[in-house]
Amino acid sequence: ANGYYFSRWNKCIHSSRDLSDMVYIDNYIFNKDVFIQYNSTVGQFVGYTELGVHNAELWNKDPNRIQQMTAQLEAYCKHNAEIYQTAIADKT
């Protein structure tokens, strides 16, 4: 009851059938508040708290971390969306 709560939520959002408008969002949440977020449209981390801003500055300086997050759009989002679309949406 008196502890701390940390979670990380990933989202893949799109509305077009060809997935051309796909966006990957990765939220880091502490005690129900997003403190840092990666958004593939922005292409970097954005901090929303003092700790989030500090971490975003550090993480954005790491080209490997940014490359890894950028790759998630294709490897995670589009890959899974294509599977779901084939299995569900393309059925008549």
Side-chain angles (χ1 to χ4, degrees):
N2 294 322
Y4 297 101
Y5 177 77
F6 173 81
S7 65
R8 184 175 169 190
W9 291 9
N10 307 32
K11 300 178 196 178
C12 301
I13 303 168
H14 71 93
S15 59
S16 66
R17 265 183 100 64
D18 66 356
L19 311 178
S20 61
D21 62 346
M22 180 76 72
V23 178
Y24 173 67
I25 299 173
D26 191 4
N27 291 310
Y28 295 75
I29 304 160
F30 183 73
N31 286 348
K32 300 182 182 179
D33 293 322
V34 174
F35 69 96
I36 191 167
Q37 179 186 79
Y38 176 83
N39 183 318
S40 64
T41 304
V42 177
Q44 64 181 11
F45 291 93
V46 176
Y48 297 103
T49 65
E50 185 177 345
L51 175 63
V53 169
H54 175 74
N55 284 339
E57 289 173 1
L58 293 175
W59 295 356
N60 287 330
K61 291 178 184 175
D62 182 354
N64 292 328
R65 179 173 237 143
I66 296 298
Q67 183 181 12
Q68 187 178 33
M69 296 304 290
T70 303
Q72 292 289 40
L73 182 66
E74 292 292 328
Y76 176 68
C77 289
K78 289 187 179 180
H79 172 75
N80 287 318
E82 288 169 356
I83 292 171
Y84 294 143
Q85 191 164 331
T86 301
I88 299 167
D90 291 343
K91 302 296 181 199
T92 56

